[in-house]
Amino acid sequence: MEPSAGRPDDVSVLTVGELGEFGLIDRVRRIIGSDPRVLIGPGDDAAQVATRDGHVLVTTDLLIENRHFRRDWSTAAEVGRKAAACNLSDINAMGGIATALTIGLGAPASLPVAWAEEFTRGFVSECDLVGAQVVGGDVTAAEVVVVAVTAIGDAPRPVRRAGALPGDVVAVAGTLGLAGAGFAALSRGFRSPRAAVDAHRVPHPPYAAGPQAAAAGATSLVDVSDGLLADLGHVARASGVRIELESSRLTVPEAVVTVGEALGRDPVSFVLTGGDDYALAATFSAETPLPDGWTQIGRVSDGEAAVLVDGSPYDGDPGHQHFR
């Protein structure tokens, strides 16, 4: 039966905001279909595609001015570094290393050329951290600065979000909460604490940690771009497991404590729900020694797919939502 006008599933009246990011992705996936050359399709941090001489990882991200960055908060070089880091982190989150990137830049005609050049220098400097090369792109006019990046890389053993098993331990690598706290501070007109504000402007993904996790036998892997609870929620649903976190195991940076006190907010909430740090979260067999730089924060158990904190559902938004 065709949906009647006005019903929530009637595409003629349903909006992207009502459907949400992942509802929209599900509909797009149905239209795209499948292909035997696609070894890993939508639903992970990067896709894996077979080629005649092997396979590659591919990922794409968008950064929109006044949505993901502000030119009065960040220098052009900082925006460039962040744009690169978002995509390099996606390859890292599959246990891989990026090798090449393309950039699409939409810009107002009034944008100074010096800004575009500084942006490029920042982008290249971040790529240099993993040895990746910018190989091309496109430029067009736009009302605000829009950056679209595609990264290509490879991994000997790509690690997906689906794969966590009951009994596994949950661990993280990198810093959590700083970028979210920095965004909150900047949004209130503050320019400190410096560690938090700088983390929002330029993330520092643990680039070595993804390949280390894959080599150690990680059963699942994801980067923390939308928030620890939100991104581990993807792992829980993809793997069909319950993830139980222990707040006492979480590291709360001093700058996050400072922002929490200034804004009257529990600092742990930034660690649990703040995005843009691009740390990694993974699951490992309980018998697997964690690689250096990884810290256990919880366990995987049987049960309905969910993420619990100290045995209970989190009371609040688990992280960033794009159409809110």
Side-chain angles (χ1 to χ4, degrees), residues 34-318:
S34 60
D35 187 286
R37 294 168 294 184
V38 179
L39 307 178
I40 298 174
D44 281 276
D45 286 287
Q48 186 185 38
V49 182
T51 65
R52 288 186 177 181
D53 56 355
H55 50 74
V56 296
L57 296 174
V58 184
T59 184
T60 296
D61 258 316
L62 281 169
L63 273 77
I64 312 295
E65 183 179 1
N66 300 325
R67 179 73 178 178
H68 301 99
F69 66 89
R70 285 175 44 171
R71 281 191 274 160
D72 58 334
W73 285 2
S74 303
T75 67
E78 289 169 339
V79 176
R81 288 192 61 188
K82 185 172 186 176
C86 295
N87 288 268
L88 298 175
S89 180
D90 280 339
I91 300 295
N92 191 34
M94 299 295 290
I97 299 174
T99 55
L101 301 92
T102 61
I103 312 171
L105 177 65
S110 60
L111 185 75
V113 171
W115 193 97
E117 290 182 341
E118 186 183 351
F119 165 88
T120 304
R121 292 188 186 96
F123 193 97
V124 170
S125 69
E126 189 71 20
C127 292
D128 286 344
L129 296 178
V130 300
Q133 179 68 37
V134 178
V135 296
D138 189 25
V139 178
T140 188
E143 297 301 313
V144 297
V145 176
V146 178
V147 182
V149 180
T150 295
I152 300 169
D154 55 60
R157 187 183 76 88
V159 185
R160 306 185 62 179
R161 297 174 179 180
L165 299 169
D168 284 354
V169 301
V170 182
V172 295
T175 303
L176 292 168
L178 275 176
F183 176 78
L186 287 164
S187 298
R188 295 288 290 270
F190 302 125
R191 293 296 185 268
S192 64
R194 185 68 178 271
V197 170
D198 284 353
H200 168 72
R201 291 169 172 155
V202 180
H204 295 281
Y207 291 125
Q212 286 173 340
T219 54
S220 70
L221 187 58
V222 69
D223 76 342
V224 183
S225 56
D226 291 333
L228 181 64
L229 296 181
D231 290 311
L232 281 177
H234 301 324
V235 173
R237 287 186 291 275
S239 302
V241 297
R242 176 177 294 169
I243 293 177
E244 302 184 29
L245 304 182
E246 301 173 47
S247 61
S248 62
R249 290 180 176 268
L250 298 172
T251 298
V252 184
E254 182 178 350
V256 174
V257 174
T258 299
V259 173
E261 291 175 346
L263 302 184
R265 180 171 165 182
D266 181 3
V268 176
S269 69
F270 288 113
V271 176
L272 290 172
T273 68
D276 280 356
D277 284 299
Y278 297 96
L280 294 182
T283 56
F284 297 86
S285 166
E287 289 74 37
T288 300
L290 294 181
D292 290 343
W294 285 87
T295 302
Q296 182 180 345
I297 60 170
R299 289 190 172 275
V300 180
S301 64
D302 281 314
E304 181 181 357
V307 182
L308 306 182
V309 180
D310 298 327
S312 301
Y314 184 72
D315 184 19
D317 289 334

